[in-house]
Amino acid sequence: ISLNASSFYFKFFHQQGWGGEYKNDALSTTSDLVFIGDGTNGRDAGNLGLVEGKSLENGVAYRFTVDVTAGVSSAVLTVEKVER
């Protein structure tokens, strides 16, 4: 998928279809690039956005990983640059 390097708005789901969406009560991150919306911080609950003042690098690939090792209600998002 291609994202706009300076702005995006999407969320993850944990089942087929539109059920089981990740919201900020079940998904966390320590990323310095991406934040998880909580309904009061500029994004709806669970929708991802770029941290203010940050942007992705054009032409660079990023991996968004949702780790559900602790269960779907305690998922952790990591965002990392990867080589193509």
Side-chain angles (χ1 to χ4, degrees):
I1 260 186
S2 293
L3 297 175
N4 182 314
S6 61
S7 177
F8 56 80
Y9 196 100
F10 72 94
K11 71 171 40 179
F12 288 102
F13 292 82
H14 57 80
Q15 75 180 48
Q16 289 183 324
W18 289 100
E21 67 185 77
Y22 279 110
K23 293 188 178 180
N24 56 300
D25 61 349
L27 181 64
S28 63
T29 189
T30 58
S31 173
D32 63 346
L33 285 174
V34 174
F35 72 95
I36 300 167
D38 64 9
T40 64
N41 61 358
R43 292 287 188 270
D44 292 332
N47 286 305
L48 305 181
L50 281 168
V51 170
E52 188 173 338
K54 300 283 185 160
S55 65
L56 303 178
E57 295 178 45
N58 283 315
V60 173
Y62 290 83
R63 179 180 299 129
F64 288 63
T65 304
V66 177
D67 180 353
V68 293
T69 303
V72 295
S73 62
S74 298
V76 178
L77 171 68
T78 58
V79 181
E80 60 187 323
K81 282 198 281 188
V82 296
E83 304 243 355
R84 288 192 194 198

